[in-house]
Amino acid sequence: MSQTMSVVCGVSNRHLHLSQEDLELLFGAGASLTVMRDLGQPGQYACEEQVNLIGPKNTLRNVRVLGPVRRQTQVEVSLTDSFTLGIKPPLRDSGDLAASATLILEGPAGRLDLSEGVILAKRHVHFHPDDASILGIKDKDIIKVAIEGERGLVFDNVLARVHESYALEFHVDTDEANAAMLKTGDQVIISVK
Amino acid sequence: MSQTMSVVCGVSNRHLHLSQEDLELLFGAGASLTVMRDLGQPGQYACEEQVNLIGPKNTLRNVRVLGPVRRQTQVEVSLTDSFTLGIKPPLRDSGDLAASATLILEGPAGRLDLSEGVILAKRHVHFHPDDASILGIKDKDIIKVAIEGERGLVFDNVLARVHESYALEFHVDTDEANAAMLKTGDQVIISVK
């Protein structure tokens, strides 16, 4: 039998996560991140810090850093952005960065040549285990998400991520949001076969 | 019973159609369009002529004119483009331009203040009547289009356009193409009901 649940949507604009080492290369020795505002996922926040992404074709300026710092630097762009930059990032789950795309990052204190870490993020739903259990979903399951409205559509191949630290939220990038005319805060319907 | 058919996809980048009057305002008295290459629809072609779109927030340069000239100038941008430009075009069928968005157009011979004509194009399938009859589709029907692959999805609310002058082709803009990782020439599956 088909099970459904209403979930809030969060649209991710291009952004990056930095390692402490790369943060200091870009913003100076001893630099730390400055919270601008909290995000939908507990403990995650948008920072005052911004970086330029320099690709072989063009530069995207003032790209927001998200905190806290991570073990490895990760840059998430849309497919539209990747054409502007002139790079070919793979479609990946967050943290799966081996042999992903490269870029030059530029901050106020320096530049760095990122050898990997640039991806298109796979659309996904964050579940707290309490919400996942209602639908019988486990981590890494593939589900569907339906969007209503003028540009209504059903996303297949949506990754379910289940963890104690997560709040229930559907994440897409700006291409996916614009294709469906979705905005952060909109409600969508997730369904499990 | 569900009916399906495989159709080729054409991705529309931002572009514009010009009236003869506006063509001459932008490119000079007596100007005519120069064919660069033919498009999927019979009689339609991309032109050598390009125009700058000047919005309240930013300018998009070198936007391609499509020919032949039309009764009224029409500019088709993606939702991503509309954020860049700083305008709010409605989602419309081609030709339905009353009270749509405005922009300044700039060509080599002059500028013009477009009082209406800027839209987000509704995704649609062009059918020759011979193809439409196989699926029992008539002009203005609403159908679904399924995309396979890593970013597979099903577009609802796809407009069917049926006319003697059309060739079978599914048209989306770059946001929709990028959300589904579609390219011009890819095959998609249309389904009725």
Side-chain angles (χ1 to χ4, degrees):
Chain A
M1 209 181 71
S2 170
Q3 290 266 10
T4 66
M5 181 183 275
S6 180
V7 171
V8 72
C9 176
V11 179
S12 299
N13 203 343
R14 69 184 78 105
H15 65 270
L16 69 163
H17 308 271
L18 288 173
S19 67
Q20 182 61 37
E21 185 186 348
D22 290 349
L23 173 64
E24 299 195 23
L25 281 170
L26 296 168
F27 291 89
S32 63
L33 293 171
T34 317
V35 179
M36 185 182 75
R37 65 182 168 79
D38 287 330
L39 297 175
Q41 293 305 306
Q44 304 294 306
Y45 49 88
C47 302
E48 297 290 350
E49 286 74 18
Q50 296 180 322
V51 163
N52 296 331
L53 308 183
I54 305 176
K57 231 174 110 184
N58 284 290
T59 294
L60 291 172
R61 300 194 173 279
N62 306 324
V63 176
R64 184 80 48 199
V65 177
L66 303 191
V69 292
R70 292 193 176 183
R71 205 178 48 77
Q72 185 177 355
T73 292
Q74 173 171 315
V75 182
E76 299 177 42
V77 297
S78 70
L79 192 50
T80 297
D81 293 335
S82 75
F83 295 137
T84 303
L85 291 163
I87 58 172
K88 292 191 174 179
L91 184 69
R92 293 280 180 84
D93 189 14
S94 184
D96 176 13
L97 303 180
S100 55
T102 68
L103 269 180
I104 295 168
L105 307 186
E106 182 181 57
R111 277 183 177 212
L112 77 89
D113 229 312
L114 203 63
S115 64
E116 65 178 23
V118 186
I119 62 171
L120 312 175
K122 250 185 213 174
R123 55 201 179 210
H124 56 276
V125 178
H126 290 277
F127 291 93
H128 186 274
D130 293 348
D131 296 312
S133 69
I134 293 171
L135 292 178
I137 283 173
K138 50 187 198 313
D139 193 45
K140 308 254 166 134
D141 277 358
I142 300 297
I143 60 178
K144 290 179 192 278
V145 175
I147 319 300
E148 309 210 307
E150 276 193 304
R151 274 190 163 174
L153 57 79
V154 179
F155 289 116
D156 296 329
N157 300 340
V158 178
L159 185 67
R161 302 290 310 279
V162 184
H163 196 273
E164 286 284 346
S165 69
Y166 292 159
L168 188 62
E169 198 177 31
F170 173 52
H171 280 184
V172 287
D173 72 13
T174 48
D175 286 338
E176 295 168 314
N178 291 341
M181 283 191 163
L182 264 178
K183 299 182 306 299
T184 290
D186 286 352
Q187 292 288 324
V188 302
I189 306 293
I190 57 176
S191 64
V192 181
K193 183 66 61 64
Chain B
M1 208 181 73
S2 170
Q3 290 267 13
T4 66
M5 183 184 273
S6 180
V7 170
V8 72
C9 176
V11 179
S12 299
N13 204 341
R14 68 184 79 105
H15 66 271
L16 70 164
H17 307 272
L18 288 172
S19 67
Q20 182 61 35
E21 184 187 348
D22 290 349
L23 173 63
E24 298 195 24
L25 282 170
L26 296 169
F27 291 91
S32 62
L33 293 171
T34 317
V35 178
M36 185 181 76
R37 64 182 169 78
D38 287 329
L39 298 175
Q41 293 305 306
Q44 305 292 308
Y45 50 89
C47 302
E48 296 291 349
E49 285 74 18
Q50 295 180 321
V51 163
N52 297 331
L53 307 183
I54 305 176
K57 232 173 112 183
N58 284 289
T59 294
L60 292 171
R61 298 192 174 280
N62 305 325
V63 176
R64 184 79 51 199
V65 177
L66 303 191
V69 292
R70 292 194 177 183
R71 204 177 50 78
Q72 186 178 355
T73 292
Q74 172 172 315
V75 182
E76 299 177 42
V77 298
S78 70
L79 192 50
T80 297
D81 293 335
S82 75
F83 295 137
T84 303
L85 292 163
I87 59 172
K88 291 190 174 178
L91 184 69
R92 292 282 181 85
D93 188 14
S94 184
D96 177 13
L97 304 180
S100 55
T102 68
L103 269 179
I104 294 168
L105 307 187
E106 182 180 56
R111 278 184 176 210
L112 77 91
D113 229 313
L114 203 63
S115 63
E116 66 178 22
V118 187
I119 61 170
L120 312 175
K122 250 185 214 176
R123 55 202 179 208
H124 56 276
V125 178
H126 289 277
F127 290 93
H128 186 273
D130 293 348
D131 296 313
S133 69
I134 294 171
L135 292 178
I137 283 172
K138 50 188 197 312
D139 193 45
K140 309 255 167 134
D141 277 359
I142 299 298
I143 60 178
K144 290 178 192 276
V145 175
I147 319 298
E148 310 209 305
E150 275 192 305
R151 273 190 164 174
L153 57 78
V154 179
F155 288 114
D156 297 330
N157 300 342
V158 178
L159 185 67
R161 301 290 312 277
V162 183
H163 196 273
E164 287 285 346
S165 69
Y166 292 159
L168 189 62
E169 197 176 32
F170 173 52
H171 280 184
V172 287
D173 72 12
T174 49
D175 287 338
E176 295 168 314
N178 291 340
M181 283 191 165
L182 265 178
K183 298 183 306 297
T184 290
D186 286 353
Q187 291 288 323
V188 302
I189 306 293
I190 58 174
S191 65
V192 182
K193 179 75 60 68

